[in-house]
């Protein structure tokens, strides 16, 4: 993690999971291109905005069922539940062509 990292989400479950994994960065609920430009962004941003970032990391949880997905979307999943669902960070570089 570096000083150019930023978390873009309002999901408290995601923030707690990232913090547990050592990602401690400023959190924004909403971002604009200037907020993400040349930074490592953790969270979900649209492709057009991701193209301004250095890279974007999202958390995938392949073992999450529909009920738990709804709980996650409400920010009500624990770090342990996310780990049990196979939570992992996947990082992308998005470029406009």
């Amino acid at each position: 993690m570096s000083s150019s990292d930023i978390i873009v989400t309002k999901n408290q479950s995601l923030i707690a999971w990232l913090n547990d994994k050592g990602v401690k960065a400023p959190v924004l609920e909403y971002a604009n291109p200037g907020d993400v430009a040349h930074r490592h962004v953790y969270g979900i941003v649209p492709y057009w905005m991701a193209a301004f970032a250095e890279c974007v990391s999202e958390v995938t949880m392949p073992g999450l069922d529909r009920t738990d997905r709804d709980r996650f979307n409400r920010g009500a999943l624990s770090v342990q539940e996310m780990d049990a669902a196979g939570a992992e960070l996947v990082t992308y570089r998005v470029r406009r062509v």
Side-chain angles (χ1 to χ4, degrees), residues 7 13 22 34-35 37-39 55 61 92 94:
I7 299 169
S13 295
D35 296 324
H38 312 292
R39 300 178 92 172
C55 57
M61 290 179 279
Y92 303 91
V94 179

Side-chain angles (χ1 to χ4, degrees), residues 12 31 45 63 74 76 90:
Q12 293 303 307
V45 295
R74 291 190 313 273
V90 179

Side-chain angles (χ1 to χ4, degrees), residues 60-73:
T60 63
M61 290 179 279
L64 204 61
D65 65 25
R66 176 47 118 180
T67 301
D68 287 337
R69 171 114 2 238
D70 291 341
R71 288 182 54 231
F72 172 74
N73 289 339

Side-chain angles (χ1 to χ4, degrees), residues 30-71:
Y30 303 98
N32 62 53
D35 296 324
V36 304
H38 312 292
R39 300 178 92 172
H40 185 161
V41 177
Y42 294 86
I44 305 297
V45 295
Y47 294 129
W48 69 266
M49 190 179 303
F52 289 92
E54 175 62 30
C55 57
V56 177
S57 293
E58 69 175 3
V59 175
T60 63
M61 290 179 279
L64 204 61
D65 65 25
R66 176 47 118 180
T67 301
D68 287 337
R69 171 114 2 238
D70 291 341
R71 288 182 54 231

Side-chain angles (χ1 to χ4, degrees), residues 2 4 11-13 29 33 39 50-51 59 73 88-89 91-92 95:
S2 77
S4 66
N11 186 304
Q12 293 303 307
S13 295
E29 287 188 9
R39 300 178 92 172
V59 175
N73 289 339
E88 68 175 338
L89 275 176
T91 302
Y92 303 91
R95 297 293 173 245

